[in-house]
Amino acid sequence: MSFGFQVTSRDGGARRGVMTTPHGAVETPAFMPVGTQGAVKGVTQRDLEALGAEILLSNTYHLYLRPGDGLIARQGGLHRFAGWPRPILTDSGGYQVFSLASRRTIDEQGARFQSHLDGSAHLLTPEKAADIQAQLGSDVAMVLDECLALPAEAGAARTSMERTLRWAARARTRFLEIRAGTASGVIVTNPGQAQFGIVQGGVYPDLREESAEQTVKVGFEGYAIGGLSVGEPADVMYDIVARTAPRLPEDRPRYLMGVGTPSDIVEAVARGIDLFDCVLPTRNARNGQLFTSAGRINIRNARYAEDNGPPDPACECYTCRTFSRAYLRHLIHAGEINAATLNTLHNLHFYLDTLRRIRESVSFGRFESFRVAFHQGLSGQPHDS
Ligand SMILES: [Zn+2]
């Protein structure tokens, strides 16, 4: 199967579709659990299949440094190495270089940095990011973009956006060489890989519009909106998404990177987004924060010490069908590994089920009533934190 995307129904600005990849189809709007090291923390690949996850995100920066994209290519690619036969999207590594690596410097060529693991020196260029992802063999590869530090003045945001555009063109040229088989030294483990461009431009609508138009001119199989959910107010993010999405081709998937809370996802779907990833459901699960239909709860809270109810009475996941709030609170206070597993199973179920309900509501022309009811449910009860 080669890469493709088809919108199957629309409801207002929201759309439902199917993204096909060499490793199977993904119903959109879709949420991608984050498997940083080629594994989603706390749960197994079997758990993820049972939860109905259709696509995972994995982090190029981490896999490149350890165990190395060459090793993974020699093991047959990331799908085989990680025992995940379904679709995978990899990021470019840029975000982690900006957030994790030490002594990083950015110039026109790329990003120089030292590994956070052993201090070794590396240069990540747009071409190198394409090569690494070709060796990993993900179904969707992302271009290297420059991650703008916030707050950014309009001038700095423009400079960064324009560099990202030049890098996008270089990444596409390299990707097409890899696809044509003329990139020497690269072990291509997934010949059907697609590549997505990334729209940048900070919180400036005119820069976002220009970035979208120019990125579309380069030409990619799909498009992402990057650099949001980095501290700006939610209404600013929604406004940028609302202005950017219509500038992207109707017949290509749209991916809002690193977003977000359940409310953010519903609002972004309303503005035409198809793909999401976020560490919130998995990271917060390990800290004891559970997403529920009535808002977030922190299971560490003393008020749950003798609460024999399920984490979310409206949830049908294994954790909610089997365990009480009192038991989950005990596990996390006892430092039990199962606390992370059971909380992660619930949070991922909540996210994936929310996306399922979104898709159904779009199909039946009821997205707007779903959206209103969803937000009302979340505000029905005070949040723990
Ligand atoms: Zn549950």
Side-chain angles (χ1 to χ4, degrees), residues 312 315-317 319-320 346 349:
D312 183 354
C315 180
E316 294 175 352
C317 82
T319 301
C320 290
H346 165 77
H349 177 92

PDB file of all heavy atoms in Angstrom, residues 312 315-317 319-320 346 349, ligand 1:
ATOM      1  N   ASP A 312     -12.966   6.902  36.163  1.00  0.00           N
ATOM      2  CA  ASP A 312     -13.944   7.642  35.368  1.00  0.00           C
ATOM      3  C   ASP A 312     -15.160   6.740  35.163  1.00  0.00           C
ATOM      4  O   ASP A 312     -15.085   5.766  34.412  1.00  0.00           O
ATOM      5  CB  ASP A 312     -13.336   8.042  34.013  1.00  0.00           C
ATOM      6  CG  ASP A 312     -14.299   8.877  33.162  1.00  0.00           C
ATOM      7  OD1 ASP A 312     -15.474   9.049  33.563  1.00  0.00           O
ATOM      8  OD2 ASP A 312     -13.865   9.358  32.093  1.00  0.00           O
ATOM      9  N   CYS A 315     -15.993   5.624  31.705  1.00  0.00           N
ATOM     10  CA  CYS A 315     -14.950   5.004  30.878  1.00  0.00           C
ATOM     11  C   CYS A 315     -15.058   3.482  30.913  1.00  0.00           C
ATOM     12  O   CYS A 315     -15.354   2.896  31.957  1.00  0.00           O
ATOM     13  CB  CYS A 315     -13.572   5.436  31.380  1.00  0.00           C
ATOM     14  SG  CYS A 315     -12.197   4.743  30.435  1.00  0.00           S
ATOM     15  N   GLU A 316     -14.795   2.850  29.761  1.00  0.00           N
ATOM     16  CA  GLU A 316     -14.896   1.395  29.668  1.00  0.00           C
ATOM     17  C   GLU A 316     -13.534   0.716  29.547  1.00  0.00           C
ATOM     18  O   GLU A 316     -13.440  -0.443  29.143  1.00  0.00           O
ATOM     19  CB  GLU A 316     -15.771   1.020  28.460  1.00  0.00           C
ATOM     20  CG  GLU A 316     -17.218   1.458  28.650  1.00  0.00           C
ATOM     21  CD  GLU A 316     -18.081   1.208  27.434  1.00  0.00           C
ATOM     22  OE1 GLU A 316     -17.536   0.828  26.366  1.00  0.00           O
ATOM     23  OE2 GLU A 316     -19.297   1.400  27.550  1.00  0.00           O
ATOM     24  N   CYS A 317     -12.464   1.415  29.915  1.00  0.00           N
ATOM     25  CA  CYS A 317     -11.144   0.817  29.775  1.00  0.00           C
ATOM     26  C   CYS A 317     -10.919  -0.253  30.857  1.00  0.00           C
ATOM     27  O   CYS A 317     -11.660  -0.335  31.841  1.00  0.00           O
ATOM     28  CB  CYS A 317     -10.052   1.883  29.846  1.00  0.00           C
ATOM     29  SG  CYS A 317      -9.581   2.389  31.508  1.00  0.00           S
ATOM     30  N   THR A 319      -8.650  -0.454  33.155  1.00  0.00           N
ATOM     31  CA  THR A 319      -8.387   0.132  34.469  1.00  0.00           C
ATOM     32  C   THR A 319      -9.692   0.519  35.161  1.00  0.00           C
ATOM     33  O   THR A 319      -9.909   0.187  36.327  1.00  0.00           O
ATOM     34  CB  THR A 319      -7.473   1.366  34.308  1.00  0.00           C
ATOM     35  OG1 THR A 319      -6.253   0.944  33.685  1.00  0.00           O
ATOM     36  CG2 THR A 319      -7.153   2.013  35.648  1.00  0.00           C
ATOM     37  N   CYS A 320     -10.570   1.191  34.432  1.00  0.00           N
ATOM     38  CA  CYS A 320     -11.817   1.667  35.046  1.00  0.00           C
ATOM     39  C   CYS A 320     -12.790   0.522  35.331  1.00  0.00           C
ATOM     40  O   CYS A 320     -13.581   0.591  36.261  1.00  0.00           O
ATOM     41  CB  CYS A 320     -12.477   2.715  34.161  1.00  0.00           C
ATOM     42  SG  CYS A 320     -11.557   4.274  34.135  1.00  0.00           S
ATOM     43  N   HIS A 346      -5.536   3.947  31.017  1.00  0.00           N
ATOM     44  CA  HIS A 346      -6.754   4.772  31.084  1.00  0.00           C
ATOM     45  C   HIS A 346      -6.617   6.041  30.249  1.00  0.00           C
ATOM     46  O   HIS A 346      -7.492   6.362  29.450  1.00  0.00           O
ATOM     47  CB  HIS A 346      -7.123   5.143  32.523  1.00  0.00           C
ATOM     48  CG  HIS A 346      -8.131   6.248  32.534  1.00  0.00           C
ATOM     49  ND1 HIS A 346      -9.468   6.026  32.261  1.00  0.00           N
ATOM     50  CD2 HIS A 346      -7.989   7.594  32.654  1.00  0.00           C
ATOM     51  CE1 HIS A 346     -10.109   7.188  32.246  1.00  0.00           C
ATOM     52  NE2 HIS A 346      -9.225   8.158  32.474  1.00  0.00           N
ATOM     53  N   HIS A 349      -6.702   5.396  26.601  1.00  0.00           N
ATOM     54  CA  HIS A 349      -8.066   5.032  26.206  1.00  0.00           C
ATOM     55  C   HIS A 349      -8.926   6.282  26.104  1.00  0.00           C
ATOM     56  O   HIS A 349      -9.690   6.440  25.143  1.00  0.00           O
ATOM     57  CB  HIS A 349      -8.690   4.051  27.204  1.00  0.00           C
ATOM     58  CG  HIS A 349     -10.112   3.706  26.869  1.00  0.00           C
ATOM     59  ND1 HIS A 349     -10.444   2.626  26.086  1.00  0.00           N
ATOM     60  CD2 HIS A 349     -11.284   4.319  27.169  1.00  0.00           C
ATOM     61  CE1 HIS A 349     -11.757   2.597  25.925  1.00  0.00           C
ATOM     62  NE2 HIS A 349     -12.292   3.609  26.579  1.00  0.00           N
TER      63      HIS A 349
HETATM   64 ZN    ZN B   1     -10.644   4.305  32.047  1.00  0.00          ZN
END
